[in-house]
Amino acid sequence: MSSSQPFLPSSPLSQLQPGGGLRKSRFTYKHLSQLSLSSTTCPLRVIAHIDLDAFYAQCEMVRLNVPEDQPLAVQQWQGLIAINYPARKFGMNRHITITEAKKLCPNLIMQHVATWKEGDEKWAYHKDAFAQIATHKVSLDPYRLESRRILACIKETLPAALQRVEKASIDEVFLDLSSQIHSIMLEQFPELSGPPPYDDPTENLPRPPTTALDWNTDALVDLDNTETEDDDPDWDDIAIQIGSEIVRGVRDAIRERLKYTCSAGIAHNKMIAKLGSAHKKPNQQTIVRNRAIQQFLGGFKFTKIRNLGGKLGDQVVSTFGTDQVTELLEVSIEQLKFKLGDDTGSWVYQIIRGEEYSEVNSRTQIKSMLSAKSFRPSINTFEQAVRWLRIFAADIFSRLVEEGVLENKRRPKTMNLHHRQGGQMRSRQAPIPSGRSIDEALLFEISKTLLGQVIVDGRAWPCANISLSVGGFEDGPTGNRGIGGFLVKGDEAKAMRPTSRDVENQDSTLDSGRPGKRRKVDEGGIQKFFAKRDSSRGEHDDEFGADEEAPALLHQSSSLGDSETCAGTNEGQEMQVQNDEKHDLTTDLDTRKTDNTTSANALPATIPSHQASISTYLCTKCNTPLPTANQAEHEDWHFAKDLQAVDRPTALGSSSTKPPPVPPNNGASKKPATVGAKRGPKKPGGATEGKGVEKGQKRLVFGR
């Protein structure tokens, strides 16, 4: 019976399982997903550690532009703090004196570090600095600046969205390359892009299609005794090989742009990667595959492992009588827990087997700044200490400026001062006021106060060491602007000034957008509608609807004008004319008082009958046109006047026959002062204040 799968002659036999199926990887789709998330427990994880070669010495070589094969050492007072690799070939180390170094290498360049001098605003390189230990202070700012340039170069080389970079020290950087490697693997091996079989993430990945990897010129650590190079690589080997190519590109970029060389270690975690970067120096990188961890660690003393030095390392050595990893591997976890405690014993058991899960912290900002000085000879007065505090404050402030304190990007919250007198160390702390901007004077003022507190508490002289530090850094608010950011000046302000046309357009927009409140327009009174009737029609002859709009305009004019003439103090009569493309006429009502005499004199006494609209009523007694709706009230008014004339012929003999006022529609306004008697508060019996009740008014009372 033939197989359902066709036979492929080109398929490598190594890909076949004993049963005839394709071999599977020992890694699953879940592990591949964890790789994209940079999970610390992912077995495919790749970490790199980059270490600058003799960093201080390289900084001086680049600054002085000396050849790479020139021996150079960095001097601090009478000692050496850095020696480049050409000088190390002569047998020099950092523990020898200046005189001994000159004997070993006569052409050795010894460059003293930069120093702060009292009164200087910035550090500088002084030729006689080695002899001025009593008045100068060491400054490492040049190396900090170069360290930042290198860190920026690394970040520019890696993809911004996938990078995870941790600055471990001034010359060390950790890189978590897992996310970037995951994206590259999906591009190079499309078979990994699909979903897992049966949508089960625990399904094993297919084996890599390649049977050999090109490690270029890297220092490849040999495999463990149980592994052979004949075994085909798995996905962890593919991942770490891609990581080595990425790191090589980073190192080349640093070399080309900044002229610095560095070594690197690439491994599964931070601990092994750091050991790998120091394995082959200078200017090399070491790869420690998962299958080579035991072989790699077997040649180390465990006191060289990160966090296993110092007191803990001494305790392990004294407890088990060895400092070799291979010998400590034979100790069981129960013995380690019994001797060192449960937590420490478990941690040591894992760490010597290469199991370490600390994450790469992408936060690269500094946490504190320190400026210190050991006095030789000791200082003995408050004035001497204050002079050094001024230098410390200037040193710290210059570094705060680089950190962005002037732009309010970051600022410290506290200041600490440490004072050592003999074998006694005392310290004081004070907050930095958040309401004040940080400057050199503020730092010096706070430090001087702290020193005064130390002196008051007890004996302070002679003083052997003073250190000043700031810490508790916090990010400043983002997006805030000063008041100047809201103001404009010069040409920009002139450009924003509104023109007369803009003002007219704005008024028109406001009028159309707010129907409740109209702008009052004084066009010279209602007479213009009678005087310009013909010309108004002529202006609209060419526009649609002009003949229909003119009668309406006249009607509105007549109605309003007559109302004012008749009433004199009529309320709620205001007209606003707004001409648009159709030349519409709108009217609004508002409360207003007008003198009766002025209104009567301003308008014609009579209006020709041919100008009266069909909606108006012409009073035959006073010859005044009124709206038809007001006819009944107007006739009542004449009736009341007639009754008043009958009852008081003497009082009404001197009154003029002026047009009567039109009673308001809402009934809420006051009676005009020029017509009749002023109404006052009522008294019992219906009498008004200050005047007797008249017969006519008793029968007909108006205005309520």
Side-chain angles (χ1 to χ4, degrees):
M1 183 176 178
S2 61
S3 173
S4 61
Q5 296 292 335
F7 175 72
L8 300 177
S10 60
S11 299
L13 296 179
S14 60
Q15 297 288 341
L16 298 177
Q17 293 180 351
L22 291 177
R23 294 178 57 191
K24 293 285 188 176
S25 168
R26 60 191 177 94
F27 301 103
T28 65
Y29 283 89
K30 180 180 179 181
H31 295 151
L32 185 65
S33 177
Q34 290 177 334
L35 182 66
S36 65
L37 302 175
S38 300
S39 173
T40 58
T41 59
C42 177
L44 299 175
R45 183 188 187 211
V46 178
I47 305 296
H49 179 262
I50 296 179
D51 186 13
L52 276 296
D53 300 322
F55 180 54
Y56 290 179
Q58 272 202 95
C59 289
E60 298 300 341
M61 293 175 66
V62 172
R63 184 181 69 87
L64 299 174
N65 196 24
V66 301
E68 292 186 358
D69 58 350
Q70 169 65 47
L72 181 143
V74 179
Q75 177 182 357
Q76 179 176 319
W77 312 132
Q78 298 300 319
L80 302 178
I81 61 173
I83 303 171
N84 67 359
Y85 285 91
R88 296 183 188 185
K89 297 179 180 179
F90 293 89
M92 286 187 291
N93 57 60
R94 290 183 295 177
H95 302 289
I96 64 176
T97 63
I98 302 298
T99 304
E100 293 172 340
K102 278 292 187 181
K103 291 181 180 179
L104 293 174
C105 183
N107 64 335
L108 176 69
I109 296 178
M110 287 187 296
Q111 174 61 51
H112 198 280
V113 297
T115 58
W116 282 88
K117 182 181 179 181
E118 184 180 0
D120 291 348
E121 296 182 356
K122 185 176 177 59
W123 50 264
Y125 285 92
H126 301 276
K127 294 182 178 180
D128 60 343
F130 65 93
Q132 304 297 329
I133 187 173
T135 58
H136 285 226
K137 177 196 171 302
V138 170
S139 174
L140 302 180
D141 286 355
Y143 311 134
R144 295 189 184 98
L145 294 176
E146 292 302 299
S147 175
R148 294 189 179 188
R149 293 180 60 201
I150 295 171
L151 182 63
C153 180
I154 293 174
K155 291 185 175 182
E156 292 173 1
T157 306
L158 299 174
L162 301 176
Q163 65 179 239
R164 184 171 293 188
V165 182
E166 175 185 343
K167 183 178 179 180
S169 69
I170 195 172
D171 61 346
E172 293 178 276
V173 175
F174 281 108
L175 308 177
D176 190 336
L177 306 173
S178 302
S179 295
Q180 185 177 356
I181 291 173
H182 176 266
S183 64
I184 296 175
M185 288 176 63
L186 296 184
E187 294 178 3
Q188 295 183 357
F189 306 99
E191 60 269 25
L192 300 178
S193 301
Y198 316 109
D199 291 330
D200 184 4
T202 61
E203 282 286 326
N204 294 84
L205 295 168
R207 293 284 293 190
T210 180
T211 58
L213 296 176
D214 181 14
W215 298 101
N216 208 320
T217 57
D218 296 338
L220 192 64
V221 176
D222 294 335
L223 298 176
D224 297 341
N225 297 331
T226 58
E227 303 284 344
T228 64
E229 294 291 351
D230 295 334
D231 297 332
D232 291 336
D234 208 339
W235 290 114
D236 59 340
D237 298 319
I238 300 292
I240 206 167
Q241 193 267 343
I242 295 174
S244 69
E245 295 296 332
I246 296 173
V247 174
R248 187 179 294 108
V250 172
R251 292 174 54 234
D252 290 343
I254 297 173
R255 176 73 164 168
E256 293 173 4
R257 300 179 192 178
L258 305 177
K259 300 181 180 180
Y260 291 100
T261 65
C262 53
S263 301
I266 303 99
H268 172 61
N269 54 46
K270 294 172 70 173
M271 183 266 291
I272 301 176
K274 181 173 175 62
L275 293 175
S277 64
H279 186 59
K280 296 287 185 180
K281 289 177 76 76
N283 200 25
Q284 296 187 60
Q285 63 184 42
T286 301
I287 297 177
V288 184
R289 294 169 287 180
N290 290 350
R291 296 184 290 164
I293 291 178
Q294 292 303 318
Q295 177 69 23
F296 178 67
L297 293 178
F300 282 94
K301 295 180 178 180
F302 58 77
T303 53
K304 298 294 184 181
I305 296 177
R306 189 176 179 220
N307 297 327
L308 249 182
K311 295 182 178 180
L312 178 58
D314 295 340
Q315 179 185 358
V316 175
V317 171
S318 62
T319 301
F320 298 99
T322 181
D323 60 358
Q324 297 295 320
V325 172
T326 53
E327 296 180 1
L328 195 61
L329 286 172
E330 299 176 359
V331 181
S332 65
I333 187 173
E334 289 76 13
Q335 290 180 295
L336 290 172
K337 288 183 177 181
F338 179 75
K339 297 290 187 180
L340 305 175
D342 289 346
D343 294 339
T344 304
S346 298
W347 180 82
V348 172
Y349 181 84
Q350 293 178 347
I351 207 72
I352 60 176
R353 286 166 173 79
E355 300 176 13
E356 193 259 351
Y357 303 102
S358 61
E359 66 176 349
V360 173
N361 187 359
S362 58
R363 190 174 178 86
T364 58
Q365 295 174 329
I366 62 175
K367 299 178 181 179
S368 62
M369 293 181 180
L370 173 70
S371 185
K373 172 69 176 178
S374 295
F375 305 112
R376 287 175 289 184
S378 300
I379 59 175
N380 296 282
T381 64
F382 177 75
E383 290 73 17
Q384 288 179 294
V386 168
R387 286 198 294 267
W388 284 108
L389 289 181
R390 190 178 297 278
I391 295 177
F392 295 163
D395 182 15
I396 292 177
F397 179 69
S398 67
R399 289 148 61 185
L400 288 174
V401 170
E402 298 170 6
E403 194 67 16
V405 69
L406 296 181
E407 296 82 10
N408 204 27
K409 294 179 180 178
R410 300 188 75 214
R411 61 176 289 145
K413 295 189 295 184
T414 59
M415 173 179 286
N416 293 273
L417 183 139
H418 294 268
H419 174 280
R420 180 160 60 87
Q421 189 270 329
Q424 184 179 11
M425 176 71 74
R426 286 177 288 183
S427 62
R428 292 293 181 272
Q429 183 184 78
I432 298 176
S434 58
R436 293 181 56 181
S437 59
I438 296 180
D439 54 16
E440 184 178 335
L442 175 63
L443 298 178
F444 173 67
E445 176 185 340
I446 299 175
S447 64
K448 189 175 178 181
T449 301
L450 294 177
L451 179 62
Q453 295 176 2
V454 172
I455 295 175
V456 169
D457 288 346
R459 183 180 178 186
W461 316 112
C463 176
N465 177 278
I466 294 179
S467 66
L468 190 69
S469 64
V470 293
F473 279 83
E474 60 182 0
D475 296 333
T478 57
N480 288 0
R481 292 189 298 169
I483 192 172
F486 297 91
L487 305 177
V488 292
K489 300 178 181 179
D491 296 337
E492 186 179 358
K494 293 179 180 179
M496 297 178 62
R497 185 177 301 168
T499 62
S500 59
R501 177 176 297 180
D502 295 334
V503 174
E504 294 175 0
N505 294 338
Q506 182 178 5
D507 291 341
S508 177
T509 303
L510 291 175
D511 291 341
S512 61
R514 296 181 179 178
K517 292 186 178 180
R518 304 272 180 163
R519 181 170 55 91
K520 295 182 179 180
V521 179
D522 185 9
E523 298 292 347
I526 199 169
Q527 299 93 329
K528 65 182 179 63
F529 296 107
F530 304 107
K532 296 183 179 181
R533 180 181 176 186
D534 295 338
S535 61
S536 175
R537 288 179 59 84
E539 292 176 357
H540 296 278
D541 285 345
D542 297 334
E543 296 192 26
F544 179 79
D547 293 338
E548 290 79 9
E549 290 173 358
L553 180 66
L554 176 60
H555 167 65
Q556 296 285 354
S557 305
S558 301
S559 301
L560 284 173
D562 296 341
S563 299
E564 291 186 6
T565 304
C566 184
T569 58
N570 184 26
E571 65 179 60
Q573 301 288 340
E574 176 184 70
M575 180 179 66
Q576 176 189 10
V577 181
Q578 180 179 357
N579 290 324
D580 56 7
E581 294 180 355
K582 294 185 178 181
H583 302 277
D584 293 332
L585 181 68
T586 59
T587 60
D588 290 328
L589 298 179
D590 192 10
T591 303
R592 180 176 64 179
K593 273 195 173 184
T594 309
D595 182 59
N596 185 33
T597 304
T598 305
S599 300
N601 296 334
L603 299 179
T606 61
I607 299 178
S609 60
H610 70 274
Q611 293 183 356
S613 174
I614 60 175
S615 62
T616 61
Y617 154 72
L618 183 62
C619 179
T620 57
K621 295 184 178 181
C622 61
N623 199 26
T624 302
L626 297 171
T628 304
N630 297 337
Q631 179 179 354
E633 292 180 307
H634 186 71
E635 291 178 351
D636 290 342
W637 186 85
H638 276 294
F639 180 70
K641 294 291 293 181
D642 292 342
L643 290 177
Q644 188 178 26
V646 172
D647 294 339
R648 295 176 59 201
T650 305
L652 295 177
S654 60
S655 63
S656 61
T657 58
K658 295 181 181 179
V662 179
N665 295 331
N666 55 9
S669 59
K670 299 178 180 179
K671 273 282 189 178
T674 58
V675 180
K678 182 178 178 181
R679 293 181 60 85
K682 291 184 178 182
K683 292 185 178 181
T688 56
E689 182 180 1
K691 196 171 185 179
V693 180
E694 297 178 0
K695 185 177 181 180
Q697 293 177 338
K698 186 176 181 181
R699 291 193 296 270
L700 292 174
V701 180
F702 298 92
R704 290 188 178 179

